[in-house]
Amino acid sequence: MSTTRSNRAKAAITTVSLTGAAMGFLTACGGGGNDDNDAREVYCVDEQDNVVDEDQCEDAERNGGIGLGGLPFFFLLSNFGGNRYSVGQRIPQQYTSAGTRVNPSDTAARSRSGLPSTGKVTSGTRVSGGIGSGKAGGSSGS
């Protein structure tokens, strides 16, 4: 009889342990729902990571990633630590190196990153989900 209790206890502990491990895995993989920590913001930036008017990225969308004047522009998605940036401000490297750059004309990369596949995106917009929310190189070409 004590063997039966021991086996039941082991089974219960194993079940609890496996459930905890599965929850940890899902949380690490983003399966835990839309958490604000997973949300990123997007800014339209130039090559030097200066915030530019979102019209520049809209123009670049129509011209293969190149804006008027022949300069490339990107959407930069990152967790900016609660900081807000205005046109003309340079985004610190701590956020740009951990961010994802998306060519405004790459509709597939935009969708994967949680952005609308086409159209204007307002700087400072919060985006959740999508591929490239971590540090692993999710850059999309220029």
Side-chain angles (χ1 to χ4, degrees):
M1 186 142 181
S2 64
T3 306
T4 303
R5 282 188 191 180
S6 176
N7 287 341
R8 283 186 200 158
K10 286 179 184 176
I13 290 170
T14 301
T15 300
V16 170
S17 296
L18 289 175
T19 302
M23 293 301 291
F25 176 77
L26 289 174
T27 300
C29 291
N34 284 342
D35 189 344
D36 281 343
N37 293 332
D38 293 338
R40 297 167 295 148
E41 291 182 33
V42 60
Y43 287 94
C44 180
V45 298
D46 63 12
E47 286 182 303
Q48 289 77 39
D49 299 321
N50 295 309
V51 177
V52 297
D53 189 274
E54 51 263 356
D55 289 340
Q56 299 292 334
C57 281
E58 192 174 18
D59 289 338
E61 176 187 353
R62 291 188 289 271
N63 297 301
I66 305 298
L68 298 178
L71 299 174
F73 294 98
F74 309 91
F75 289 122
L76 177 65
L77 292 96
S78 189
N79 179 343
F80 295 99
N83 298 317
R84 303 279 299 164
Y85 298 95
S86 301
V87 172
Q89 286 185 299
R90 185 174 189 160
I91 297 179
Q93 198 229 352
Q94 69 190 49
Y95 301 120
T96 60
S97 63
T100 300
R101 291 180 186 280
V102 177
N103 181 327
S105 67
D106 187 339
T107 57
R110 287 174 63 143
S111 293
R112 284 192 308 269
S113 297
L115 297 170
S117 60
T118 61
K120 190 172 188 173
V121 176
T122 304
S123 285
T125 299
R126 291 182 67 75
V127 179
S128 59
I131 296 173
S133 59
K135 288 186 179 184
S139 287
S140 182
S142 51

